[in-house]
Amino acid sequence: MTPAAAHIATAAAAESHGFLSPTGIEVAFLLVGLVTFGAAIVTVTTKQLVHAALWLVATLGGLAVEYLLLTAEFIAWVQVLIYVGSVVVLLLFGLMLTKAPIGRSPDADSGNRWAALTVAVASAAALVWVVVDAFRTTWLDLNGAAAGSTAVTGASLFQNWVLPFEALSVLLLAALVGAIVLSRKAKADAAAATATSLPSTRSEKEGAR
């Protein structure tokens, strides 16, 4: 099928049904999107850091399912392997190394909640506006050939996006090194506090004698 014929077939498929007669893939995309959105809300509102990391797994997993529904299987598996399998594990290691509380953490609440909410809503509105403006007249044929195949996406990633890809790996490594440094500093402070308290305890015992 030539590109012109494929474009005509895609336009015909887009005109054959509208928003009032969605396909099964579109219904599944909407339902998964709602679940992912709910998991993202819980991620940023929970006061338990470990629960936030686990809900982040659900959020990133939902995004991977959305990519699969859009026939972008390479991006979906990258989402699972890198973000779910690496980023979340890195966050959990950071929580363990810094000895973050397992239960409810008062530090997870901030007085800047309304400012953060305003920035988040403004960022979301700007992102939605940019995406809608860029893809307003673009239709994706979900029944045709995969548009996000491994060959196409891999060529684009390693030709046009090599520098951001490597910068992200350096950022993750820096985060892990920072967590290790913080944990070692906490252990050093605890050891110094113990060493300082030992002479005072000995002097109190000698005075009692």
Side-chain angles (χ1 to χ4, degrees), residues 11-91:
E15 294 177 355
S16 62
H17 67 278
F19 291 103
L20 297 179
S21 58
T23 62
I25 296 179
E26 291 172 346
V27 173
F29 186 88
L30 178 61
L31 294 178
V32 174
L34 292 176
V35 173
T36 304
F37 180 74
I41 293 297
V42 177
T43 301
V44 298
T45 55
T46 182
K47 294 184 179 181
Q48 299 192 18
L49 298 179
V50 177
H51 289 182
L54 296 178
W55 278 109
L56 182 60
V57 173
T59 304
L60 298 176
L63 289 177
V65 175
E66 298 283 54
Y67 288 133
L68 281 178
L69 294 176
L70 291 175
T71 68
E73 75 278 4
F74 179 75
I75 302 297
W77 295 124
V78 167
Q79 177 82 10
V80 172
L81 292 175
I82 294 181
Y83 287 94
V84 178
S86 299
V87 174
V88 176
V89 171
L90 179 64
L91 290 175

